[in-house]
Amino acid sequence: MRRELACGALMMTVLLTGCSKQDQQAQQQGVLLRGQYQAMSGWSGTFRVSAHLGQQLYEFALEGTAQQEGETVLTVVEPEWMAGVTARMTDEEAVLEYDGAGMTLGTLNGDGLSPIAAIPEMLDQVAQGYIAQCSWAQEGEDTFLELTCRDPEQEQGAGTEYTMWFAPDTFALRMAEVQVDGATVLTVTSDDFTMEMNEDESTDHADLDGDPSGQSGA
């Protein structure tokens, strides 16, 4: 993925001075995107995942659904030897289940982030996390809105970073990667990500700093 038009860290929803018109447009779209993800009642999709765990590379496909007031469920559907490994997550707990000969895949970082649970975690980052970069990116003939989320107390390239690419018209997640201390440990693609929206939610005041109250995320 070739990144273009980056404009530095976004500390507030106010557009940064000195940015080009394209940068400002990307940041405005980022505000709208965050509002959409805060207003979701749920989502569903199929995800193709490549996870780098030590010297091992695992490639698999997941089917997932989530409800705001219910469970997030992600189940491995390919390859056959991994099929049935399921993560069930609520606000209170996360449980990894195994069907048949399923196996643990290990974790991506020191906080116990699993390759399966990384998908809902990155979507939570879009809604509530600290967005360090919002810009346009070009891949072939396609244009995407690119967001990078990380711990605001960490420098770029340190800790866990989530970079995601969204369709600019629907804000649907199309690609993502997770980096730990500058090394890519997970990549994700989705062709059918779908958002379910809360019609009574207002997104006019959504911000990019990781705090829906409007306070600084730094």
Side-chain angles (χ1 to χ4, degrees):
M1 172 65 66
R2 179 167 58 88
R3 302 182 183 181
E4 297 181 348
L5 310 176
C7 191
L10 300 178
M11 299 298 294
M12 301 289 290
T13 57
V14 179
L15 298 177
L16 300 179
T17 59
C19 292
S20 70
K21 183 177 180 180
Q22 290 101 329
D23 294 326
Q24 293 180 352
Q25 290 173 343
Q27 292 167 20
Q28 290 170 341
Q29 286 297 98
V31 172
L32 294 175
L33 185 148
R34 162 152 283 184
Q36 289 289 94
Y37 277 73
Q38 288 178 343
M40 279 197 307
S41 62
W43 53 261
S44 62
T46 304
F47 309 91
R48 303 209 69 86
V49 180
S50 295
H52 302 264
L53 297 163
Q55 300 300 313
Q56 298 294 321
L57 172 63
Y58 296 96
E59 296 184 329
F60 53 94
L62 295 168
E63 290 181 349
T65 60
Q67 293 297 319
Q68 187 179 55
E69 303 299 331
E71 281 189 323
T72 297
V73 180
L74 290 132
T75 301
V76 177
V77 292
E78 294 178 9
E80 184 176 353
W81 68 271
M82 287 176 60
V85 177
T86 300
R88 296 182 180 274
M89 289 157 278
T90 66
D91 290 340
E92 288 76 29
E93 64 178 352
V95 177
L96 198 61
E97 301 175 347
Y98 304 93
D99 181 15
M103 62 174 291
T104 181
L105 297 179
T107 59
L108 299 171
N109 62 12
D111 296 326
L113 181 68
S114 75
I116 295 177
I119 292 172
E121 174 60 27
M122 67 177 61
L123 295 174
D124 286 345
Q125 289 287 325
V126 177
Q128 305 295 341
Y130 171 78
I131 296 179
Q133 175 182 302
C134 180
S135 59
W136 297 115
Q138 196 76 25
E139 178 72 6
E141 297 182 355
D142 297 321
T143 300
F144 297 94
L145 184 63
E146 176 184 325
L147 266 66
T148 297
C149 299
R150 67 168 186 265
D151 184 338
E153 297 183 359
Q154 295 273 14
E155 297 293 330
Q156 182 178 359
T160 303
E161 296 183 322
Y162 303 86
T163 301
M164 293 152 282
W165 293 270
F166 301 88
D169 51 349
T170 65
F171 295 145
L173 178 69
R174 288 290 175 253
M175 297 174 287
E177 68 178 26
V178 179
Q179 290 191 337
V180 176
D181 294 331
T184 300
V185 296
L186 188 84
T187 60
V188 178
T189 60
S190 179
D191 294 327
D192 63 353
F193 184 82
T194 302
M195 295 181 285
E196 300 173 15
M197 305 305 298
N198 285 319
E199 294 183 359
D200 59 345
E201 291 278 351
S202 172
T203 63
D204 293 342
H205 303 290
D207 58 39
L208 299 180
D209 61 13
D211 186 342
S213 69
Q215 300 298 314
S216 173

